[in-house]
Amino acid sequence: MAPSAIYDTAPSLSPSPSSPYRILVPEKLSPEGLSLLRSSGYQVDTPAARPAADELLRLIPAYHALIVRSETKVTAEVLAAAGPKLRVVARAGVGVDNIDVDAATKKGVVVVNSPSGNIVAAAEHTIALLLAAARNVGRADAGMKAGRWERGRLVGVEVGGKTLGVVGLGKVGMKVARMAKGLGMGVVVFDPYASAEVARQAGVELRGELEAVVREADFLTVHTPLLASTANLLGEKELRSMKPTARVLNVARGGVYNEEALLRALDEGWIAGAGLDVFTSEPPAEGSVAARLAAHPKVVSTPHLGASTVEAQENVSMDVCRQVVAILSGGLPTAAVNAPLILPEEYRRLQPFVKLVERMGSLYTQHFAGERGGMVGGRRFELVYHGELAGVNNTRPLLAALVKGLVSSISDLGGRDVNIVNATLVARERGIAIDEKHVRDVGGGAVVPTYASAVTLRSVSSDGGFDGEKEEQVIEGYVSGRAVYISKLGRFTANFQPQGTLLILHNYDEPGKIGNVGTALGRHGVNISSMQVAPLHGGSVVVGGDGGGRSTESDDGSLADSESRAANEALMILGVTGDVTQDVLQELGKSEGILHVNLVRLE
């Protein structure tokens, strides 16, 4: 099998020690998460008390990242006050109800959360409430503390042999179902998006209608987000159709059950009891329906403890902090709410290609467009994925990387304002159109068939055709291990790493050229750290060509001699250190046989 770019661990994302980024954490976060941020070189501010709304408006303009839990409200007003610095808002938890995601998206701010960090905690709390509701644990505890011995009044029911209805077979719902199976319960599920095969493998029975699950359940638990489609999902109709001995559970989101209908169901005996961890208002306002539910004798209530375990708090904290570090360092988040979800295995596969594509975009602008006044706008580009990479469906991070690379050398912020949320908008504003193609055969245009994946970047004219034979603007690259390589630059076959400061000389491949260039650079104190000669691809004769190639007649006017010489064109690609001034470039450009010189600076 050819090598591929899939790592056991993601590349280091630590910024330089001089990183100017500031992070505001107005709510309690685990010490491990804060330590990760600080050890990555960022300034982290943790106010002693959570700032009030007006204070947050005053503070936020100074920050590049904001990490919150459930209490801080990140409104459109807060996001507008943030100005251009803010790049990411992170929610240390699952829900983002307290964040105006639409406003963040319009502003180009990435919103991330931790959808997996508290799965076990939420599932275990659901089972705890299930057992507590079945055995009247809450009322028994309160009675004992009040000096009452009410053994005869608090007869419960066993859960073994009973049916648990699960609404929402996501990660938490699946975990609860498996735990319930361990208690000897049968499990029936309603989830319009669930796979029948996954349900079968889990040993649960999938139902096509919510009503079927509601009627069968002895216990009913919901595990859905609070959306327009799930608000009041379980109302009077559903509760009236349940068994009078049934009990309901909610460790998901307040509002999935219609609270007024649930209160009536308990008062009038439609159902036997409930275990509630979440409410429509938290803490429940005095006298509200939520408060009456929390105090109801048939309800075991807890103050939103579903994710409140030491382990879960550490998990979600570390998860979102890693994502903040990744975003501020130019990497990929693993759970962006307002962009396609990047799964861990996709992260490991895409991360090196994000780096490659960004370098290809920057190289294009500096090598090709640089000769034409830095013009990138008004062009269309083809970004072609070859081989295994063509099988990745979520390539939005690669598109964003290309936009960032294309504009990095011609924007005031060096492309740092481009992310996976606003990349399409930035491209549209600059007149850049990008087409993506997936080619399963790595040899389909790429010249690195020994590698499992490759990328081709091709410039296309506005009318849909290539820019012409004299301007074939193509860059191809691949990944090997942790390193990225360019395998084709224009018409020339190459194999170099796009990094640092590069001098790219288009010249006739004749004896003495390397020595002359080295001597010229030495006179100016410029050191050559690496060098490669890239020959003309295929050895074909092309008059004119990529960025500076031109026809020249011999002394006797023979075009044939000129064409013969053009057949020996090459690129000399030098990695250099030292101050490459305009004088150096001019001297090199005047050297015999040098057709063009480009200075390219890559991170």
Side-chain angles (χ1 to χ4, degrees), residues 81-106:
K85 284 186 178 181
L86 189 65
R87 298 177 65 180
V88 54
V89 174
R91 163 72 161 93
V94 177
V96 289
D97 307 8
N98 55 321
I99 302 171
D100 191 326
V101 178
D102 288 340
T105 302
K106 291 175 183 176

Side-chain angles (χ1 to χ4, degrees), residues 346-419:
E346 291 178 319
Y347 182 100
R348 290 193 295 270
R349 178 178 296 182
L350 284 181
Q351 183 67 28
F353 286 99
V354 167
K355 178 180 177 182
L356 171 64
V357 171
E358 182 181 337
R359 298 280 174 88
M360 291 171 75
S362 184
L363 181 58
Y364 174 88
T365 299
Q366 296 183 66
H367 180 63
F368 291 118
E371 300 170 3
R372 301 165 179 83
M375 295 299 294
V376 173
R379 294 186 179 274
R380 281 204 310 115
F381 295 88
E382 289 180 349
L383 192 56
V384 187
Y385 312 118
H386 303 273
E388 290 181 0
L389 190 61
V392 176
N393 293 322
N394 182 12
T395 56
R396 186 169 174 179
L398 298 177
L399 186 146
L402 176 59
V403 175
K404 181 177 180 181
L406 288 171
V407 305
S408 61
S409 62
I410 55 176
S411 72
D412 294 338
L413 294 176
R416 293 188 300 275
D417 56 330
V418 180
N419 57 53

